[in-house]
Each structure stands twice: as C-alpha cells, then as structure tokens.
C-alpha cells in the first residue's frame, strides 16, 4: 500500500505482539542501513524493563518503537515509521504516546541516540521537542560513527486563562 499526499494518518498505538514481527522487520530493513535482526528484537524485548509498541492503520503496521523503562526516564532503543507512510504525522503520534507516560515526579525525560548521518531523524526529533545534549563518540558496533544523545523533558501542560477561571470557580 502506497499512500499519496502528506495527509495525517490516524493510527492506533498498541503493545507489540509476536505476530507483528514480520511487518516490524520489513519496516526495520527499509529504514536502516544497519537494521536489527529478529534476534535483536527478541533479546531486547525479553528484558523486564523493555516495551515494544506498534502504530497500526487499517490493520497494517506503519511504525514501531522499542523503549526501556528506567526509574527517572524512558530510553528509546529503536523507532521507525514505514518509509511509504512518512510525513503523515505517525511518528509525532508515537512520540505523543511516549510523552504521555512522563510526569514531573517520576519519569521526567525521554532519551535516545541518533546517528550523526541520520539528518532526517535529527530534524524529526528536534521538531518534536528533543534537544541534542551530547555527542557519543564511536557509539555504534557496526561503524565508527558518532551518535547524538537527544533528550525530551516533561513539560507541564500550559493552563489557559479560561482553565484557571474554571478551577477557581470549581473551588
């Protein structure tokens, strides 16, 4: 399925299950020069603090993310959107799902690494509110390439004038 235009594509984001692996691996191979293999996914997802989620549209997987839960942060290990479905707000919906898991008192940030040559990912995550906070030299096992460590911090929802008036009235 090739979708045309740059329209927003509404997705359902749910837990990844074993049956999703074929489509996830197809997206992985289409997205990265050095893709994870099935064993990499399984090894990561078997860890107690590791969670996989997929973005689904019309019963087809169009994106996925793998992240680890830590005491004070979420750490994104892998994140991809099907190349045929990019620029349709799928990645933004996935980031919004992750950001909704943050709070000021517990997990207050999301961290991830992006290859220095992956300008599209750098720009995407920057647009989503991530900032590069350091350079990780010779980070990858498959190349001598550096990575940027990027961080998203919890942001308190902005209270509107009307919202604060309602809160005062509600007492």
């Amino acid at each position: 399925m090739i979708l045309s235009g740059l329209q927003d594509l509404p997705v359902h984001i749910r837990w990844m299950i074993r049956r999703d692996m074929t489509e996830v691996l197809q997206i992985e191979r289409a997205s990265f020069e050095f893709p994870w293999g099935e064993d990499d996914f399984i090894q990561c997802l078997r860890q107690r603090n590791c969670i996989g989620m997929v973005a689904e549209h019309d019963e087809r997987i169009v994106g996925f993310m793998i992240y680890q839960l830590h005491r004070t942060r979420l750490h994104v290990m892998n994140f991809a959107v099907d190349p045929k479905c990019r620029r349709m707000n799928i990645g933004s919906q996935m980031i919004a799902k992750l950001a909704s898991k943050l709070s000021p008192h517990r997990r207050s940030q999301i961290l991830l690494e992006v290859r220095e040559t992956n300008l599209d990912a750098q720009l995407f995550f920057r647009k989503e509110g991530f900032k590069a906070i350091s350079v990780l030299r010779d980070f990858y096992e498959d190349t001598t390439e550096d990575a940027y460590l990027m961080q998203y911090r919890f942001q308190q929802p902005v209270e509107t004038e009307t919202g604060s008036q309602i809160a005062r009235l509600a007492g």
Side-chain angles (χ1 to χ4, degrees):
M1 163 176 83
I2 294 180
L3 301 167
S4 60
L6 297 177
Q7 77 277 11
D8 284 359
L9 193 68
V11 294
H12 171 66
I13 298 172
R14 62 167 175 78
W15 296 77
M16 186 184 292
I17 57 176
R18 182 81 176 112
R19 174 171 37 109
D20 300 329
M21 195 52 61
T22 301
E23 287 177 278
V24 166
L25 286 167
Q26 288 172 349
I27 293 169
E28 175 76 4
R29 284 190 293 270
S31 298
F32 300 111
E33 182 180 359
F34 302 101
W36 283 18
E38 186 170 4
D39 291 343
D40 298 314
F41 279 95
I42 291 169
Q43 182 179 0
C44 189
L45 290 168
R46 281 190 176 144
Q47 296 175 39
R48 222 178 35 151
N49 67 332
C50 199
I51 294 174
M53 300 195 86
V54 295
E56 197 174 44
H57 178 78
D58 284 343
E59 297 182 29
R60 180 176 167 266
I61 295 171
V62 293
F64 69 87
M65 59 185 163
I66 309 284
Y67 62 94
Q68 291 178 327
L69 298 168
H70 296 277
R71 199 168 61 75
T72 61
R73 71 186 188 281
L74 300 176
H75 190 136
V76 177
M77 306 299 292
N78 199 336
F79 187 101
V81 172
D82 185 327
K84 293 176 255 164
C85 300
R86 291 189 184 151
R87 303 195 191 307
M88 295 183 187
N89 205 32
I90 295 164
S92 297
Q93 291 172 76
M94 291 171 26
I95 291 296
K97 180 75 166 184
L98 270 183
S100 74
K101 298 175 181 309
L102 299 179
S103 75
H105 307 295
R106 179 128 171 123
R107 293 184 182 105
S108 61
Q109 62 181 327
I110 302 169
L111 292 176
L112 53 83
E113 297 85 18
V114 178
R115 287 183 185 268
E116 66 179 333
T117 55
N118 193 344
L119 184 59
D120 287 342
Q122 293 168 33
L123 293 172
F124 166 74
F125 288 115
R126 192 165 134 207
K127 178 181 77 71
E128 295 300 320
F130 285 77
K131 291 186 175 22
I133 58 172
S134 69
V135 176
L136 306 171
R137 300 281 176 212
D138 196 16
F139 182 73
Y140 298 96
E141 292 177 10
D142 47 35
T143 68
T144 57
E145 191 172 357
D146 297 340
Y148 293 108
L149 180 63
M150 299 187 80
Q151 175 188 57
Y152 176 93
R153 289 187 133 330
F154 174 78
Q155 295 159 357
Q156 201 73 352
V158 178
E159 195 171 297
T160 63
E161 180 75 25
T162 307
S164 60
Q165 289 173 345
I166 292 171
R168 282 197 301 274
L169 292 173

